[in-house]
Amino acid sequence: MLRIRRELVDQIVAHARRDHPDEACGVIAGPVGSDRPERFVPMLNSARSPTFYQFDSGEQLKLYREMDANDEAPVVIYHSHTATEAYPSRTDANIAGEPEAHYVLVSTKDPDSHEFRSYRIVDAEITEEPVEILD
């Protein structure tokens, strides 16, 4: 189960809306071993695509160095889908390389509402998990 503060959910959704029609992507870092998302880090989608995301390699290297220095891990890895439901694509599953992370997807296909879902992806196997939003 992903337990996440409402302000972090709001930041993810706002980022997804801001980058629409391209996919948005980012990380929420937290203390190693805590499973507690704390630090919102929006990333640049270097693919600038409505159907694919790819972290900018320079930003990703900088982020992972920061997390290492701060004893943090990528607790949540998120991206948006702009024209489909919030479910990982085959490509999403194949590039998911953090088995301990929660993979959050936000669908922005509907301009008036959004879909927010979380998954565990291990060896390209996708398992949806409940999300508890903390106020």
Side-chain angles (χ1 to χ4, degrees):
M1 170 187 284
L2 171 62
R3 300 181 80 216
I4 185 169
R5 296 190 322 259
R6 179 167 305 282
E7 69 188 65
L8 294 170
V9 171
D10 292 346
Q11 287 176 305
I12 291 171
V13 172
H15 182 202
R17 291 281 182 214
R18 191 171 52 248
D19 282 11
H20 189 95
D22 290 339
E23 290 191 5
C25 56
V27 170
I28 301 181
V32 169
S34 71
D35 200 36
R36 197 174 60 239
E38 293 187 348
R39 184 166 66 95
F40 176 74
V41 185
M43 303 284 284
L44 174 66
N45 178 359
S46 64
R48 291 190 171 90
S49 167
T51 59
F52 182 70
Y53 82 96
Q54 181 173 25
F55 290 156
D56 176 83
S57 59
E59 277 190 343
Q60 186 174 8
L61 178 61
K62 179 182 173 198
L63 172 62
Y64 275 74
R65 285 181 175 163
E66 285 175 4
M67 288 191 301
D68 189 48
N70 296 330
D71 291 325
E72 293 176 318
V75 177
V76 169
I77 297 173
Y78 73 89
H79 75 281
S80 61
H81 282 180
T82 60
T84 61
E85 69 174 318
Y87 188 84
S89 67
R90 182 179 303 227
T91 300
D92 296 335
N94 287 334
I95 66 172
E98 298 285 350
E100 301 300 318
H102 302 268
Y103 284 87
V104 165
L105 275 94
V106 175
S107 174
T108 57
K109 70 178 182 178
D110 185 332
D112 299 320
S113 66
H114 65 271
E115 187 181 15
F116 187 99
R117 297 165 71 182
S118 183
Y119 305 88
R120 294 287 192 166
I121 304 175
V122 179
D123 296 330
E125 184 173 324
I126 302 164
T127 305
E128 186 166 7
E129 64 181 353
V131 176
E132 181 181 357
I133 298 174
L134 308 171
D135 287 312

